[in-house]
PDB file of all heavy atoms in Angstrom:
ATOM      1  N   PHE B   1      85.222  96.257 108.967  1.00  0.00           N
ATOM      2  CA  PHE B   1      85.873  95.575 107.855  1.00  0.00           C
ATOM      3  C   PHE B   1      85.818  96.391 106.571  1.00  0.00           C
ATOM      4  O   PHE B   1      86.658  96.222 105.686  1.00  0.00           O
ATOM      5  CB  PHE B   1      85.250  94.195 107.649  1.00  0.00           C
ATOM      6  CG  PHE B   1      85.709  93.180 108.656  1.00  0.00           C
ATOM      7  CD1 PHE B   1      84.840  92.706 109.627  1.00  0.00           C
ATOM      8  CD2 PHE B   1      87.019  92.715 108.649  1.00  0.00           C
ATOM      9  CE1 PHE B   1      85.264  91.784 110.564  1.00  0.00           C
ATOM     10  CE2 PHE B   1      87.448  91.787 109.588  1.00  0.00           C
ATOM     11  CZ  PHE B   1      86.569  91.318 110.545  1.00  0.00           C
ATOM     12  N   SER B   2      84.824  97.297 106.466  1.00  0.00           N
ATOM     13  CA  SER B   2      84.799  98.175 105.300  1.00  0.00           C
ATOM     14  C   SER B   2      86.005  99.101 105.296  1.00  0.00           C
ATOM     15  O   SER B   2      86.520  99.479 104.247  1.00  0.00           O
ATOM     16  CB  SER B   2      83.505  98.989 105.276  1.00  0.00           C
ATOM     17  OG  SER B   2      83.469  99.903 106.364  1.00  0.00           O
ATOM     18  N   HIS B   3      86.465  99.474 106.508  1.00  0.00           N
ATOM     19  CA  HIS B   3      87.689 100.277 106.602  1.00  0.00           C
ATOM     20  C   HIS B   3      88.935  99.393 106.552  1.00  0.00           C
ATOM     21  O   HIS B   3      89.989  99.811 106.065  1.00  0.00           O
ATOM     22  CB  HIS B   3      87.682 101.087 107.895  1.00  0.00           C
ATOM     23  CG  HIS B   3      86.708 102.215 107.897  1.00  0.00           C
ATOM     24  ND1 HIS B   3      86.944 103.416 107.264  1.00  0.00           N
ATOM     25  CD2 HIS B   3      85.479 102.330 108.443  1.00  0.00           C
ATOM     26  CE1 HIS B   3      85.908 104.229 107.417  1.00  0.00           C
ATOM     27  NE2 HIS B   3      85.006 103.587 108.130  1.00  0.00           N
ATOM     28  N   ALA B   4      88.805  98.171 107.056  1.00  0.00           N
ATOM     29  CA  ALA B   4      89.969  97.288 107.092  1.00  0.00           C
ATOM     30  C   ALA B   4      90.410  96.880 105.686  1.00  0.00           C
ATOM     31  O   ALA B   4      91.602  96.677 105.436  1.00  0.00           O
ATOM     32  CB  ALA B   4      89.656  96.052 107.929  1.00  0.00           C
ATOM     33  N   ILE B   5      89.455  96.749 104.763  1.00  0.00           N
ATOM     34  CA  ILE B   5      89.817  96.341 103.398  1.00  0.00           C
ATOM     35  C   ILE B   5      90.320  97.523 102.570  1.00  0.00           C
ATOM     36  O   ILE B   5      90.717  97.337 101.416  1.00  0.00           O
ATOM     37  CB  ILE B   5      88.615  95.673 102.685  1.00  0.00           C
ATOM     38  CG1 ILE B   5      87.453  96.659 102.558  1.00  0.00           C
ATOM     39  CG2 ILE B   5      88.176  94.421 103.420  1.00  0.00           C
ATOM     40  CD1 ILE B   5      86.268  96.095 101.785  1.00  0.00           C
ATOM     41  N   ASP B   6      90.282  98.720 103.160  1.00  0.00           N
ATOM     42  CA  ASP B   6      90.836  99.880 102.469  1.00  0.00           C
ATOM     43  C   ASP B   6      92.343  99.671 102.295  1.00  0.00           C
ATOM     44  O   ASP B   6      93.019  99.123 103.175  1.00  0.00           O
ATOM     45  CB  ASP B   6      90.559 101.135 103.301  1.00  0.00           C
ATOM     46  CG  ASP B   6      90.946 102.392 102.552  1.00  0.00           C
ATOM     47  OD1 ASP B   6      91.279 102.302 101.360  1.00  0.00           O
ATOM     48  OD2 ASP B   6      90.924 103.476 103.175  1.00  0.00           O
ATOM     49  N   ASP B   7      92.896 100.113 101.171  1.00  0.00           N
ATOM     50  CA  ASP B   7      94.308  99.877 100.900  1.00  0.00           C
ATOM     51  C   ASP B   7      95.213 100.940 101.509  1.00  0.00           C
ATOM     52  O   ASP B   7      96.404 100.991 101.193  1.00  0.00           O
ATOM     53  CB  ASP B   7      94.544  99.793  99.386  1.00  0.00           C
ATOM     54  CG  ASP B   7      94.190 101.102  98.679  1.00  0.00           C
ATOM     55  OD1 ASP B   7      93.589 101.978  99.326  1.00  0.00           O
ATOM     56  OD2 ASP B   7      94.521 101.252  97.480  1.00  0.00           O
ATOM     57  N   ALA B   8      94.678 101.780 102.374  1.00  0.00           N
ATOM     58  CA  ALA B   8      95.490 102.824 103.003  1.00  0.00           C
ATOM     59  C   ALA B   8      96.414 102.222 104.061  1.00  0.00           C
ATOM     60  O   ALA B   8      96.059 101.274 104.762  1.00  0.00           O
ATOM     61  CB  ALA B   8      94.597 103.887 103.629  1.00  0.00           C
ATOM     62  N   HIS B   9      97.598 102.803 104.159  1.00  0.00           N
ATOM     63  CA  HIS B   9      98.587 102.390 105.162  1.00  0.00           C
ATOM     64  C   HIS B   9      98.966 103.612 105.990  1.00  0.00           C
ATOM     65  O   HIS B   9      98.790 104.762 105.562  1.00  0.00           O
ATOM     66  CB  HIS B   9      99.825 101.807 104.481  1.00  0.00           C
ATOM     67  CG  HIS B   9      99.539 100.621 103.619  1.00  0.00           C
ATOM     68  ND1 HIS B   9      99.446  99.343 104.103  1.00  0.00           N
ATOM     69  CD2 HIS B   9      99.309 100.533 102.276  1.00  0.00           C
ATOM     70  CE1 HIS B   9      99.180  98.503 103.121  1.00  0.00           C
ATOM     71  NE2 HIS B   9      99.086  99.200 101.996  1.00  0.00           N
ATOM     72  N   TYR B  10      99.522 103.342 107.174  1.00  0.00           N
ATOM     73  CA  TYR B  10      99.874 104.436 108.082  1.00  0.00           C
ATOM     74  C   TYR B  10     101.302 104.243 108.598  1.00  0.00           C
ATOM     75  O   TYR B  10     101.749 103.115 108.830  1.00  0.00           O
ATOM     76  CB  TYR B  10      98.911 104.474 109.278  1.00  0.00           C
ATOM     77  CG  TYR B  10      97.482 104.803 108.898  1.00  0.00           C
ATOM     78  CD1 TYR B  10      96.601 103.809 108.496  1.00  0.00           C
ATOM     79  CD2 TYR B  10      97.006 106.120 108.948  1.00  0.00           C
ATOM     80  CE1 TYR B  10      95.290 104.098 108.142  1.00  0.00           C
ATOM     81  CE2 TYR B  10      95.701 106.415 108.599  1.00  0.00           C
ATOM     82  CZ  TYR B  10      94.847 105.402 108.197  1.00  0.00           C
ATOM     83  OH  TYR B  10      93.547 105.701 107.846  1.00  0.00           O
ATOM     84  N   LYS B  11     101.968 105.365 108.749  1.00  0.00           N
ATOM     85  CA  LYS B  11     103.309 105.337 109.340  1.00  0.00           C
ATOM     86  C   LYS B  11     103.509 106.607 110.158  1.00  0.00           C
ATOM     87  O   LYS B  11     103.073 107.691 109.752  1.00  0.00           O
ATOM     88  CB  LYS B  11     104.382 105.227 108.261  1.00  0.00           C
ATOM     89  CG  LYS B  11     105.790 105.098 108.853  1.00  0.00           C
ATOM     90  CD  LYS B  11     106.822 104.730 107.822  1.00  0.00           C
ATOM     91  CE  LYS B  11     108.191 104.549 108.465  1.00  0.00           C
ATOM     92  NZ  LYS B  11     109.221 104.095 107.492  1.00  0.00           N
ATOM     93  N   THR B  12     104.181 106.466 111.285  1.00  0.00           N
ATOM     94  CA  THR B  12     104.434 107.600 112.177  1.00  0.00           C
ATOM     95  C   THR B  12     105.906 107.993 112.115  1.00  0.00           C
ATOM     96  O   THR B  12     106.796 107.138 112.242  1.00  0.00           O
ATOM     97  CB  THR B  12     104.057 107.250 113.630  1.00  0.00           C
ATOM     98  OG1 THR B  12     102.669 106.891 113.681  1.00  0.00           O
ATOM     99  CG2 THR B  12     104.294 108.437 114.555  1.00  0.00           C
ATOM    100  N   ILE B  13     106.154 109.281 111.905  1.00  0.00           N
ATOM    101  CA  ILE B  13     107.511 109.835 111.892  1.00  0.00           C
ATOM    102  C   ILE B  13     107.656 110.699 113.150  1.00  0.00           C
ATOM    103  O   ILE B  13     106.921 111.675 113.321  1.00  0.00           O
ATOM    104  CB  ILE B  13     107.775 110.697 110.642  1.00  0.00           C
ATOM    105  CG1 ILE B  13     107.448 109.907 109.360  1.00  0.00           C
ATOM    106  CG2 ILE B  13     109.204 111.203 110.633  1.00  0.00           C
ATOM    107  CD1 ILE B  13     108.347 108.736 109.106  1.00  0.00           C
ATOM    108  N   ARG B  14     108.594 110.361 114.007  1.00  0.00           N
ATOM    109  CA  ARG B  14     108.784 111.086 115.265  1.00  0.00           C
ATOM    110  C   ARG B  14     110.020 111.975 115.199  1.00  0.00           C
ATOM    111  O   ARG B  14     111.044 111.599 114.620  1.00  0.00           O
ATOM    112  CB  ARG B  14     108.898 110.119 116.438  1.00  0.00           C
ATOM    113  CG  ARG B  14     107.675 109.219 116.588  1.00  0.00           C
ATOM    114  CD  ARG B  14     107.730 108.372 117.849  1.00  0.00           C
ATOM    115  NE  ARG B  14     106.579 107.480 117.921  1.00  0.00           N
ATOM    116  CZ  ARG B  14     105.391 107.844 118.347  1.00  0.00           C
ATOM    117  NH1 ARG B  14     105.201 109.083 118.756  1.00  0.00           N
ATOM    118  NH2 ARG B  14     104.393 106.963 118.395  1.00  0.00           N
ATOM    119  N   SER B  15     109.896 113.141 115.824  1.00  0.00           N
ATOM    120  CA  SER B  15     111.001 114.082 115.832  1.00  0.00           C
ATOM    121  C   SER B  15     112.076 113.639 116.829  1.00  0.00           C
ATOM    122  O   SER B  15     111.755 113.259 117.957  1.00  0.00           O
ATOM    123  CB  SER B  15     110.499 115.482 116.220  1.00  0.00           C
ATOM    124  OG  SER B  15     111.590 116.354 116.435  1.00  0.00           O
ATOM    125  N   PRO B  16     113.353 113.708 116.436  1.00  0.00           N
ATOM    126  CA  PRO B  16     114.430 113.353 117.371  1.00  0.00           C
ATOM    127  C   PRO B  16     114.776 114.496 118.325  1.00  0.00           C
ATOM    128  O   PRO B  16     115.562 114.307 119.249  1.00  0.00           O
ATOM    129  CB  PRO B  16     115.609 113.048 116.438  1.00  0.00           C
ATOM    130  CG  PRO B  16     115.362 113.920 115.247  1.00  0.00           C
ATOM    131  CD  PRO B  16     113.864 113.987 115.080  1.00  0.00           C
ATOM    132  N   ILE B  17     114.190 115.693 118.101  1.00  0.00           N
ATOM    133  CA  ILE B  17     114.543 116.852 118.917  1.00  0.00           C
ATOM    134  C   ILE B  17     113.361 117.369 119.750  1.00  0.00           C
ATOM    135  O   ILE B  17     113.429 118.443 120.318  1.00  0.00           O
ATOM    136  CB  ILE B  17     115.079 117.994 118.021  1.00  0.00           C
ATOM    137  CG1 ILE B  17     114.069 118.346 116.922  1.00  0.00           C
ATOM    138  CG2 ILE B  17     116.413 117.617 117.419  1.00  0.00           C
ATOM    139  CD1 ILE B  17     114.498 119.512 116.047  1.00  0.00           C
ATOM    140  N   GLY B  18     112.293 116.607 119.806  1.00  0.00           N
ATOM    141  CA  GLY B  18     111.127 117.039 120.575  1.00  0.00           C
ATOM    142  C   GLY B  18     110.095 115.931 120.637  1.00  0.00           C
ATOM    143  O   GLY B  18     110.364 114.778 120.285  1.00  0.00           O
ATOM    144  N   ASN B  19     108.887 116.299 121.099  1.00  0.00           N
ATOM    145  CA  ASN B  19     107.815 115.316 121.222  1.00  0.00           C
ATOM    146  C   ASN B  19     106.883 115.288 120.012  1.00  0.00           C
ATOM    147  O   ASN B  19     105.875 114.592 120.021  1.00  0.00           O
ATOM    148  CB  ASN B  19     106.986 115.612 122.476  1.00  0.00           C
ATOM    149  CG  ASN B  19     107.808 115.478 123.744  1.00  0.00           C
ATOM    150  OD1 ASN B  19     108.672 114.593 123.843  1.00  0.00           O
ATOM    151  ND2 ASN B  19     107.561 116.356 124.715  1.00  0.00           N
ATOM    152  N   GLU B  20     107.208 116.073 118.966  1.00  0.00           N
ATOM    153  CA  GLU B  20     106.340 116.141 117.805  1.00  0.00           C
ATOM    154  C   GLU B  20     106.373 114.824 117.024  1.00  0.00           C
ATOM    155  O   GLU B  20     107.390 114.114 116.999  1.00  0.00           O
ATOM    156  CB  GLU B  20     106.752 117.287 116.881  1.00  0.00           C
ATOM    157  CG  GLU B  20     106.437 118.674 117.396  1.00  0.00           C
ATOM    158  CD  GLU B  20     107.361 119.115 118.516  1.00  0.00           C
ATOM    159  OE1 GLU B  20     108.428 118.484 118.684  1.00  0.00           O
ATOM    160  OE2 GLU B  20     107.027 120.078 119.211  1.00  0.00           O
ATOM    161  N   ALA B  21     105.241 114.534 116.399  1.00  0.00           N
ATOM    162  CA  ALA B  21     105.147 113.339 115.561  1.00  0.00           C
ATOM    163  C   ALA B  21     104.166 113.601 114.426  1.00  0.00           C
ATOM    164  O   ALA B  21     103.176 114.320 114.598  1.00  0.00           O
ATOM    165  CB  ALA B  21     104.704 112.136 116.383  1.00  0.00           C
ATOM    166  N   VAL B  22     104.445 113.025 113.276  1.00  0.00           N
ATOM    167  CA  VAL B  22     103.596 113.155 112.099  1.00  0.00           C
ATOM    168  C   VAL B  22     103.131 111.759 111.678  1.00  0.00           C
ATOM    169  O   VAL B  22     103.947 110.829 111.568  1.00  0.00           O
ATOM    170  CB  VAL B  22     104.348 113.838 110.938  1.00  0.00           C
ATOM    171  CG1 VAL B  22     103.526 113.770 109.651  1.00  0.00           C
ATOM    172  CG2 VAL B  22     104.650 115.289 111.289  1.00  0.00           C
ATOM    173  N   VAL B  23     101.829 111.623 111.460  1.00  0.00           N
ATOM    174  CA  VAL B  23     101.266 110.369 110.975  1.00  0.00           C
ATOM    175  C   VAL B  23     100.969 110.525 109.483  1.00  0.00           C
ATOM    176  O   VAL B  23     100.308 111.488 109.073  1.00  0.00           O
ATOM    177  CB  VAL B  23      99.981 110.001 111.742  1.00  0.00           C
ATOM    178  CG1 VAL B  23      99.345 108.733 111.153  1.00  0.00           C
ATOM    179  CG2 VAL B  23     100.279 109.801 113.215  1.00  0.00           C
ATOM    180  N   ILE B  24     101.450 109.586 108.693  1.00  0.00           N
ATOM    181  CA  ILE B  24     101.256 109.622 107.243  1.00  0.00           C
ATOM    182  C   ILE B  24     100.265 108.529 106.848  1.00  0.00           C
ATOM    183  O   ILE B  24     100.439 107.360 107.195  1.00  0.00           O
ATOM    184  CB  ILE B  24     102.585 109.394 106.496  1.00  0.00           C
ATOM    185  CG1 ILE B  24     103.657 110.382 106.990  1.00  0.00           C
ATOM    186  CG2 ILE B  24     102.389 109.541 104.992  1.00  0.00           C
ATOM    187  CD1 ILE B  24     105.042 110.050 106.492  1.00  0.00           C
ATOM    188  N   LYS B  25      99.231 108.939 106.124  1.00  0.00           N
ATOM    189  CA  LYS B  25      98.298 107.984 105.526  1.00  0.00           C
ATOM    190  C   LYS B  25      98.590 107.967 104.027  1.00  0.00           C
ATOM    191  O   LYS B  25      98.516 109.000 103.365  1.00  0.00           O
ATOM    192  CB  LYS B  25      96.851 108.411 105.783  1.00  0.00           C
ATOM    193  CG  LYS B  25      95.825 107.529 105.086  1.00  0.00           C
ATOM    194  CD  LYS B  25      94.414 108.095 105.254  1.00  0.00           C
ATOM    195  CE  LYS B  25      93.401 107.290 104.452  1.00  0.00           C
ATOM    196  NZ  LYS B  25      92.030 107.866 104.537  1.00  0.00           N
ATOM    197  N   TYR B  26      98.888 106.788 103.493  1.00  0.00           N
ATOM    198  CA  TYR B  26      99.246 106.738 102.082  1.00  0.00           C
ATOM    199  C   TYR B  26      98.628 105.518 101.405  1.00  0.00           C
ATOM    200  O   TYR B  26      98.325 104.499 102.036  1.00  0.00           O
ATOM    201  CB  TYR B  26     100.764 106.745 101.908  1.00  0.00           C
ATOM    202  CG  TYR B  26     101.503 105.605 102.580  1.00  0.00           C
ATOM    203  CD1 TYR B  26     101.901 104.486 101.852  1.00  0.00           C
ATOM    204  CD2 TYR B  26     101.818 105.667 103.927  1.00  0.00           C
ATOM    205  CE1 TYR B  26     102.592 103.446 102.450  1.00  0.00           C
ATOM    206  CE2 TYR B  26     102.507 104.636 104.543  1.00  0.00           C
ATOM    207  CZ  TYR B  26     102.891 103.522 103.807  1.00  0.00           C
ATOM    208  OH  TYR B  26     103.563 102.484 104.400  1.00  0.00           O
ATOM    209  N   SER B  27      98.426 105.653 100.122  1.00  0.00           N
ATOM    210  CA  SER B  27      97.823 104.581  99.332  1.00  0.00           C
ATOM    211  C   SER B  27      98.349 104.655  97.909  1.00  0.00           C
ATOM    212  O   SER B  27      98.915 105.672  97.483  1.00  0.00           O
ATOM    213  CB  SER B  27      96.292 104.695  99.338  1.00  0.00           C
ATOM    214  OG  SER B  27      95.888 105.930  98.772  1.00  0.00           O
ATOM    215  N   ALA B  28      98.145 103.564  97.180  1.00  0.00           N
ATOM    216  CA  ALA B  28      98.607 103.500  95.798  1.00  0.00           C
ATOM    217  C   ALA B  28      97.502 102.925  94.922  1.00  0.00           C
ATOM    218  O   ALA B  28      96.846 101.944  95.282  1.00  0.00           O
ATOM    219  CB  ALA B  28      99.861 102.637  95.699  1.00  0.00           C
ATOM    220  N   THR B  29      97.296 103.556  93.763  1.00  0.00           N
ATOM    221  CA  THR B  29      96.323 103.084  92.781  1.00  0.00           C
ATOM    222  C   THR B  29      97.054 102.833  91.469  1.00  0.00           C
ATOM    223  O   THR B  29      97.704 103.732  90.929  1.00  0.00           O
ATOM    224  CB  THR B  29      95.210 104.124  92.555  1.00  0.00           C
ATOM    225  OG1 THR B  29      94.594 104.423  93.808  1.00  0.00           O
ATOM    226  CG2 THR B  29      94.163 103.586  91.602  1.00  0.00           C
ATOM    227  N   SER B  30      96.954 101.595  90.983  1.00  0.00           N
ATOM    228  CA  SER B  30      97.729 101.221  89.799  1.00  0.00           C
ATOM    229  C   SER B  30      96.824 100.914  88.613  1.00  0.00           C
ATOM    230  O   SER B  30      95.898 100.107  88.706  1.00  0.00           O
ATOM    231  CB  SER B  30      98.590  99.995  90.112  1.00  0.00           C
ATOM    232  OG  SER B  30      99.372  99.643  89.003  1.00  0.00           O
ATOM    233  N   LEU B  31      97.092 101.610  87.491  1.00  0.00           N
ATOM    234  CA  LEU B  31      96.423 101.347  86.215  1.00  0.00           C
ATOM    235  C   LEU B  31      97.485 101.367  85.110  1.00  0.00           C
ATOM    236  O   LEU B  31      97.461 102.185  84.189  1.00  0.00           O
ATOM    237  CB  LEU B  31      95.346 102.408  85.931  1.00  0.00           C
ATOM    238  CG  LEU B  31      94.143 102.425  86.870  1.00  0.00           C
ATOM    239  CD1 LEU B  31      93.257 103.624  86.589  1.00  0.00           C
ATOM    240  CD2 LEU B  31      93.336 101.129  86.727  1.00  0.00           C
TER     241      LEU B  31
END
């Protein structure tokens, strides 16, 4: 749960011309 409450999100981008894939971890901090 210490990791679950982290505000990071994940998204996978897959290549249409091969088996390659990129995973993006992203977060936002607002002040």
Side-chain angles (χ1 to χ4, degrees):
F1 283 110
S2 67
H3 288 281
I5 62 176
D6 188 8
D7 62 350
H9 301 276
Y10 295 86
K11 184 169 183 176
T12 301
I13 306 294
R14 302 187 183 279
S15 171
I17 55 177
N19 297 323
E20 288 74 16
V22 171
V23 176
I24 307 169
K25 175 186 175 183
Y26 59 99
S27 61
T29 304
S30 182
L31 294 173

